[in-house]
C-alpha cells in the first residue's frame, strides 16, 4: 500500500519543526513507518540549493530565478526521496512543499502560470494527502524567530525571514486563501496556542483525514 504524504505549511515561526517531530512519534507509536524531510532540501542535490536560496545568494537574480531553483530542488527531492518512500509504504512528513512556492514566489510577483508549470514538473503527480497549515499572526511568528536565534546562538534570520511585516502578512493571507480553496486536503491549525494545544489539533486532523487507520491514544509531546 502506498504511504501517505503529509505536508506542513505556514509562515515564519509557526513551529512546524516541533510539530513534525511530535507527529512522527505519534505515527510510530501507532505502528506506522514514517520519515521526516524538509524543503528546500531533503536530498543531496536539494540541500546544495537550500544553502543558495536561504543565504540570499540567488536573490539578486530575481524571484523568477528563485522559483526555478526551488522547483529544481523539489524535483530532486521528489525523485530521490519522497516518491521511493511512498512507494515503499512509508508515510512522508515534509516541512514545506509546493504550496510554499506558490505563496512565497507568488507574493514576490512571479506569474501563476510559470509557478504552476514549474511545480507540475517538479511534483510529478505527488500531491499531499493532507496539508497542515499552522497559522500564526506574523507578529507572533517573527517574535519566535528572534527568540530562537538568540537562544540557539545561530546566525539569525534567513533570507525570507528578513522580509517586511507587510510581506509576511500578505503571505499569511495567501496561505489561508489556498486552504479555503482546497478544503479536501488542507486543515488550518491555530498555531498561536501552546505547543500541546497545537499538537492535539494536528493529531485530531490526522485522525479525521485518515479514518481507516487505527491511531495511538497517546497525544503528548515527547
Amino acid at each position: 500500500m502506498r504511504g501517505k504524504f503529509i505536508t506542513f505549511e505556514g509562515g515564519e515561526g509557526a513551529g512546524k519543526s516541533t510539530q513534525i517531530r511530535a507527529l512522527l512519534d505519534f505515527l510510530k507509536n501507532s505502528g506506522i513507518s514514517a520519515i521526516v524531510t524538509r524543503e528546500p532540501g531533503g536530498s543531496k542535490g536539494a540541500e546544495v540549493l537550500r544553502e543558495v536560496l536561504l543565504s540570499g545568494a540567488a536573490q539578486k537574480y530575481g524571484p523568477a530565478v528563485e522559483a526555478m531553483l526551488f522547483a529544481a530542488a523539489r524535483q530532486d527531492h521528489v525523485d530521490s526521496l519522497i516518491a521511493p518512500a511512498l512507494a515503499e509504504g512509508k508515510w512522508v512528513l515534509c516541512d514545506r512543499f509546493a504550496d510554499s512556492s506558490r505563496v512565497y514566489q507568488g507574493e514576490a510577483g512571479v506569474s501563476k502560470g510559470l509557478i504552476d508549470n514549474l511545480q507540475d514538473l517538479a511534483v510529478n503527480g505527488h500531491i499531499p494527502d493532507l496539508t497542515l497549515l499552522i497559522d500564526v499572526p506574523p507578529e507572533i511568528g517573527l517574535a519566535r524567530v528572534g527568540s530562537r536565534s538568540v537562544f540557539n546562538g545561530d546566525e539569525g534570520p534567513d533570507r525570507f525571514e528578513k522580509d517586511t511585516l507587510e510581506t509576511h502578512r500578505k503571505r499569511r493571507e495567501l496561505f489561508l486563501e489556498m486552504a479555503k480553496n482546497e478544503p479536501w486536503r488542507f486543515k488550518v491549525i491555530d498555531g498561536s496556542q501552546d505547543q500541546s494545544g497545537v499538537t492535539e489539533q494536528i493529531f485530531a486532523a490526522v485522525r479525521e483525514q485518515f479514518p481507516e487507520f487505527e491511531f495511538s491514544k497517546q497525544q503528548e509531546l515527547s
Side-chain angles (χ1 to χ4, degrees):
M1 182 183 295
R2 178 186 179 275
K4 299 298 183 183
F5 186 22
I6 301 177
T7 56
F8 284 68
E9 297 287 0
E12 311 304 331
K16 297 184 303 299
S17 299
T18 298
Q19 297 302 331
I20 286 177
R21 291 193 298 269
L23 181 57
L24 178 66
D25 289 341
F26 176 67
L27 294 176
K28 288 183 175 179
N29 289 335
S30 302
I32 295 172
S33 178
I35 62 170
V36 168
T37 188
R38 68 180 183 177
E39 290 211 346
S43 61
K44 186 174 181 180
E47 286 292 334
V48 174
L49 290 173
R50 177 186 178 88
E51 175 60 28
V52 174
L53 287 161
L54 297 191
S55 69
Q59 187 175 7
K60 62 183 178 182
Y61 300 107
V65 170
E66 286 186 312
M68 293 176 192
L69 291 175
F70 271 109
R74 181 161 298 122
Q75 184 171 29
D76 187 71
H77 187 203
V78 169
D79 292 346
S80 300
L81 180 72
I82 295 174
L86 292 173
E88 292 172 4
K90 296 178 181 177
W91 289 37
V92 176
L93 313 181
C94 189
D95 185 343
R96 296 198 182 282
F97 195 57
D99 294 318
S100 277
S101 287
R102 293 189 172 96
V103 166
Y104 281 70
Q105 278 68 65
E107 184 280 328
V110 181
S111 72
K112 182 178 184 300
L114 176 58
I115 293 174
D116 287 347
N117 288 336
L118 288 171
Q119 296 317 312
D120 286 346
L121 290 170
V123 169
N124 192 24
H126 293 85
I127 306 299
D129 298 291
L130 171 63
T131 297
L132 296 161
L133 173 58
I134 304 181
D135 176 52
V136 295
E139 296 85 350
I140 295 176
L142 293 175
R144 290 175 178 174
V145 169
S147 299
R148 182 182 66 207
S149 298
V150 171
F151 182 77
N152 294 335
D154 63 22
E155 297 180 356
D158 65 31
R159 174 254 183 277
F160 296 99
E161 292 168 342
K162 293 176 181 177
D163 287 328
T164 66
L165 180 60
E166 187 57 37
T167 296
H168 289 289
R169 286 173 174 160
K170 180 60 176 177
R171 289 170 182 161
R172 183 192 186 195
E173 291 174 3
L174 292 172
F175 271 125
L176 290 172
E177 181 180 359
M178 194 179 301
K180 182 179 179 180
N181 292 336
E182 299 185 49
W184 61 269
R185 72 174 172 95
F186 270 93
K187 301 291 184 183
V188 180
I189 307 297
D190 180 4
S192 62
Q193 298 185 72
D194 59 26
Q195 286 186 9
S196 61
V198 175
T199 301
E200 288 177 4
Q201 288 183 75
I202 288 174
F203 290 173
V206 171
R207 291 181 190 277
E208 180 181 355
Q209 190 76 354
F210 308 110
E212 68 272 29
F213 289 89
E214 184 174 342
F215 295 104
S216 168
K217 296 294 190 293
Q218 179 182 348
Q219 293 201 6
E220 294 84 17
L221 278 170
S222 54

